[in-house]
Amino acid sequence: ASMPALIDYANWSKTGSGGFMARYGDLQNAAAAETDREAGGDKQAGLKARMALARFLAGSELSYEAIGVLNMIAKIHPEMMADPEFRGIRGAARTMVGRYKEAENDFSSPALTSDPASALWRGYIAAKQADWTAAKDAFVHGMSAMNQFAPAWQARFARAYAETALQGGQLDVANTEIALALAQTHDPAEILAAQLLQARLIEAQGYAKRALAIYDAVGRSPLNQYAAPALLHAAQIRLASGEIKPAQAVQIYDGLRFRWRGDATELQVIRTLGQLYLGQGRYREALEAMRSAGSVQLNSPEAVALQSDMHNAFRALFLDGRADGMEPVQALALFSDFQQLTPIGADGDLMVRKMVQRLVDVDLLDQASELLKYQVDNRLDGIPKAQVSSDLATLYLMNRKPEQAIDVLNASRTTVLPTALANQRRMVEARAWLALNQNDHALELVGKDPSPDCDDIRAEVAWRMHQWPQVAGLMEKLLGERWKNPEPLSADEEARLLRAGIAYSLASDGGALDRLRGHFGPYIDKARAPEALRVALEGPAQMAANISDFNKVAATDDTFTGWVSKMKDRFRAVPAPAPRGKVASADTAGKG
């Protein structure tokens, strides 16, 4: 051939009067005979015959067979890797069978840099891989070789160049190349492919109705690789013009995604279907449709766009609040089914935090714990892990599982923590030991810390030990100047007031009781247990002989319920931790 990568289909594929098998046998025999001469020491003997066989196979478009012969030549004659014709023929054969990456390696040889025929192959490969900038440059460089190729390949190159121009907005160039493609082929499949591209060009020029007529015609073809994208574009035009409703479009696209699969058309159909579902608020159907694409062309622009749509939809649901209108159980089910879409980094942590907040609000503590447990086990390290572990331990305590709370705290210990976080973890652990009736251990963790949380734990231990003056003093201290606020007491505050009254009564401290009555008397009528408060604040003379009655009304559950309510408020208020430790990979993030 006149150019290294030019395949001379007309001459190389000639078989002579004996037909294909006779010609093929002659070339094989010649290559075998020269192989024997190679075995005798003549290393160049078989090269000429094998190259003749490779040309015949490539010219006949028996590309796999041509690749096999050429690979054998490369193995025996490594020096041929620098030969322009060898690299050109093998690159072309690899392109014909869709091995684009391997073909790129051949056409990247310095020996083919200035070859126009190689440039056409490079442009074709780039267009197939949607690298439109590279495709445009290559086609411009290779146009001088176009008319030397067989008509069938001129049509294919022209069609690839037309699509490249269409993607770049060069509508005049696209129009010229489509006309060339239609003029150079009589193959019905090639004509349909060019007509489909022509309809896209007409649509881009602003003539949607004219394009629709062509789409409808191509859509009636039995060749689904062309009919499916034609029907896709036709439905898009009809939907945009109001000719069909979104529900009708959904039916069309849902059928199309099963009619043709495995290429960019499938991805376009699924992406369009997903967007329609999202617009109708059918979030599960949208995500399931998008996920149905599987691993089709993972690196193609369409696949990247589809993955982006899925992640954006998931973010909108669980980060931007679109799922807030769903029932918490439904939201959890949707989150669990698609949690591999949870983004890595602080956004993913915040997303999980928001989901946990909703679950905690409706007392789905087991499910909330599972979400945080995955975070701790798989996504976090260092300080973020310690923070989320503290939250997980708090959930376990709220769910009356103190042993698990201690275990998760022990598993996430680290040497250096911010003071606030260290204190938070210490309080959670102290409460866990308190729940296990390990009072001494709880007091040891509290130490001399004067904070309200520590006073709460000290008061609980003192109550259990019947140390009434200490209980009363701590409870009144925790109430502080709450009496200046006219709002009704919370459950936690009411439990503290009740315990303070009982403790002062049992300590026979009438002066303190007078002070409590003066401060909190107006709150009694609006309390949850007004009679119990009234009797407790009246002093020992009014109290029943059996203190167990008051132990019931001031039971541990009252203070525990108040603590749980406070923890729920904290979960609502605290954002996800910003710093990041180790992260999970994109394909495993969020799997539980």
Side-chain angles (χ1 to χ4, degrees):
S2 58
M3 299 178 188
L6 181 64
I7 307 299
D8 189 350
Y9 294 97
N11 293 310
W12 290 358
S13 61
K14 286 181 178 178
T15 60
S17 58
F20 176 85
M21 292 306 300
R23 175 63 175 159
Y24 182 47
D26 288 344
L27 289 170
Q28 279 191 315
N29 291 335
E34 294 191 353
T35 299
D36 292 338
R37 291 172 57 192
E38 281 184 332
D42 187 354
K43 295 299 181 183
Q44 297 298 317
L47 183 58
K48 181 178 179 181
R50 288 196 188 95
M51 284 298 294
L53 176 60
R55 292 188 193 95
F56 173 72
L57 294 171
S60 303
E61 293 204 39
L62 294 171
S63 305
Y64 287 105
E65 291 80 357
I67 292 169
V69 172
L70 291 164
N71 285 344
M72 179 62 70
I73 292 174
K75 184 177 181 180
I76 299 173
H77 300 280
E79 69 277 5
M80 289 297 291
M81 294 296 291
D83 183 78
E85 184 189 16
F86 172 87
R87 297 298 287 265
I89 295 175
R90 191 172 71 170
R94 285 172 164 174
T95 303
M96 289 183 224
V97 298
R99 294 182 180 177
Y100 299 127
K101 292 296 183 183
E102 295 178 12
E104 278 183 321
N105 290 335
D106 280 322
F107 288 123
S108 65
S109 171
L112 298 177
T113 301
S114 59
D115 175 34
S118 297
L120 285 180
W121 290 111
R122 283 196 296 269
Y124 183 81
I125 293 168
K128 288 293 184 181
Q129 296 178 327
D131 185 353
W132 308 116
T133 301
K136 174 187 173 183
D137 293 342
F139 279 125
V140 170
H141 181 202
M143 287 308 293
S144 61
M146 178 72 88
N147 61 1
Q148 297 191 49
F149 275 88
W153 273 101
Q154 285 189 49
R156 292 167 191 160
F157 287 145
R159 188 156 41 85
Y161 190 15
E163 184 165 11
T164 301
L166 189 57
Q167 292 289 341
Q170 296 179 296
L171 303 187
D172 291 341
V173 175
N175 187 49
T176 300
E177 295 304 318
I178 290 170
L180 175 61
L182 288 169
Q184 291 297 319
T185 184
H186 300 288
D187 184 339
E190 295 287 342
I191 292 173
L192 282 173
Q195 288 177 335
L196 181 60
L197 200 57
Q198 187 178 47
R200 288 175 54 194
L201 170 63
I202 293 172
E203 185 180 1
Q205 290 172 331
Y207 304 107
K209 288 187 177 180
R210 285 178 54 196
L212 183 60
I214 301 176
Y215 285 137
D216 286 340
V218 177
R220 291 189 289 270
S221 163
L223 300 178
N224 284 329
Q225 64 267 42
Y226 306 117
L231 293 172
L232 166 66
H233 288 287
Q236 288 174 330
I237 291 175
R238 289 190 167 97
L239 180 62
S241 65
E243 188 176 336
I244 60 174
K245 302 296 183 183
Q248 296 172 289
V250 164
Q251 292 181 344
I252 295 172
Y253 297 138
D254 201 35
L256 281 177
R257 68 183 173 125
F258 298 109
R259 179 171 177 175
W260 182 254
R261 308 198 68 173
D263 63 7
T265 298
E266 178 190 0
L267 297 177
Q268 290 173 6
V269 168
I270 290 175
R271 188 182 182 200
T272 306
L273 179 61
Q275 293 292 346
L276 279 173
Y277 278 138
L278 288 174
Q280 297 173 2
R282 299 165 65 179
Y283 302 122
R284 176 172 289 278
E285 290 97 328
L287 291 173
E288 285 177 346
M290 293 176 184
R291 186 167 63 181
S292 70
S295 57
V296 177
Q297 296 183 329
L298 285 176
N299 296 321
S300 69
E302 293 84 1
V304 172
L306 181 60
Q307 288 294 318
S308 178
D309 284 351
M310 289 182 69
H311 283 89
N312 288 339
F314 198 74
R315 288 173 64 92
L317 283 168
F318 297 106
L319 198 59
D320 300 337
R322 280 200 179 184
D324 290 351
M326 301 172 66
E327 291 294 328
V329 174
Q330 292 178 325
L332 175 63
L334 186 61
F335 185 89
S336 299
D337 288 345
F338 295 94
Q339 58 187 328
Q340 71 273 11
L341 297 175
T342 306
I344 59 176
D347 282 350
D349 296 335
L350 181 56
M351 188 179 291
V352 172
R353 169 66 61 134
K354 285 176 173 287
M355 192 72 242
V356 167
Q357 288 171 347
R358 296 197 65 193
L359 297 175
V360 170
D361 277 343
V362 292
D363 292 323
L364 293 175
L365 301 181
D366 286 331
Q367 293 83 347
S369 299
E370 285 299 314
L371 288 179
L372 289 189
K373 187 176 185 301
Y374 181 83
Q375 295 288 98
V376 169
D377 291 344
N378 298 281
R379 289 173 59 91
L380 301 171
D381 203 355
I383 292 175
K385 180 176 181 178
Q387 173 65 69
V388 176
S389 295
S390 176
D391 295 338
L392 177 57
T394 302
L395 285 180
Y396 282 143
L397 273 181
M398 293 166 67
N399 207 17
R400 300 183 183 276
K401 297 178 180 179
E403 296 93 341
Q404 289 176 256
I406 292 172
D407 287 343
V408 75
L409 289 172
N410 287 336
S412 60
R413 295 194 186 279
T414 186
T415 54
V416 180
L417 288 175
T419 302
L421 177 56
N423 289 337
Q424 179 188 345
R425 288 169 59 85
R426 185 163 51 87
M427 290 303 96
V428 174
E429 185 177 359
R431 283 200 169 271
W433 288 115
L434 200 62
L436 293 171
N437 290 318
Q438 299 291 324
N439 299 332
D440 291 341
H441 204 157
L443 289 176
E444 182 181 353
L445 286 167
V446 167
K448 297 182 180 180
D449 191 335
S451 66
D453 286 338
C454 293
D455 283 342
D456 227 351
I457 292 171
R458 290 189 192 97
E460 181 62 36
V461 173
W463 178 269
R464 294 179 183 183
M465 303 298 292
H466 295 179
Q467 296 171 349
W468 308 122
Q470 184 178 354
V471 172
L474 287 169
M475 288 298 174
E476 189 172 9
K477 178 184 175 183
L478 288 169
L479 287 169
E481 296 186 344
R482 175 62 179 83
W483 55 274
K484 294 182 178 180
N485 183 347
E487 294 294 324
L489 299 175
S490 67
D492 187 37
E493 291 165 342
E494 188 174 324
R496 286 173 177 171
L497 179 59
L498 184 60
R499 284 197 171 189
I502 293 173
Y504 276 136
S505 294
L506 292 173
S508 300
D509 192 340
L513 284 171
D514 290 341
R515 182 173 63 251
L516 280 182
R517 282 195 301 271
H519 285 167
F520 292 98
Y523 297 87
I524 293 178
D525 290 338
K526 297 180 181 180
R528 294 163 180 79
E531 290 304 320
L533 276 177
R534 191 172 288 113
V535 172
L537 293 177
E538 284 298 322
Q542 299 296 323
M543 291 181 64
N546 190 352
I547 193 60
S548 63
D549 293 338
F550 284 93
N551 283 340
K552 291 176 182 177
V553 297
T556 303
D557 280 352
D558 293 330
T559 55
F560 178 78
T561 301
W563 177 79
V564 168
S565 177
K566 186 166 63 175
M567 291 302 101
K568 285 185 176 181
D569 291 340
R570 187 170 68 81
F571 269 103
R572 295 186 192 101
V574 179
R580 288 286 308 179
K582 68 179 182 181
V583 296
S585 61
D587 60 336
T588 60
K591 293 180 182 176

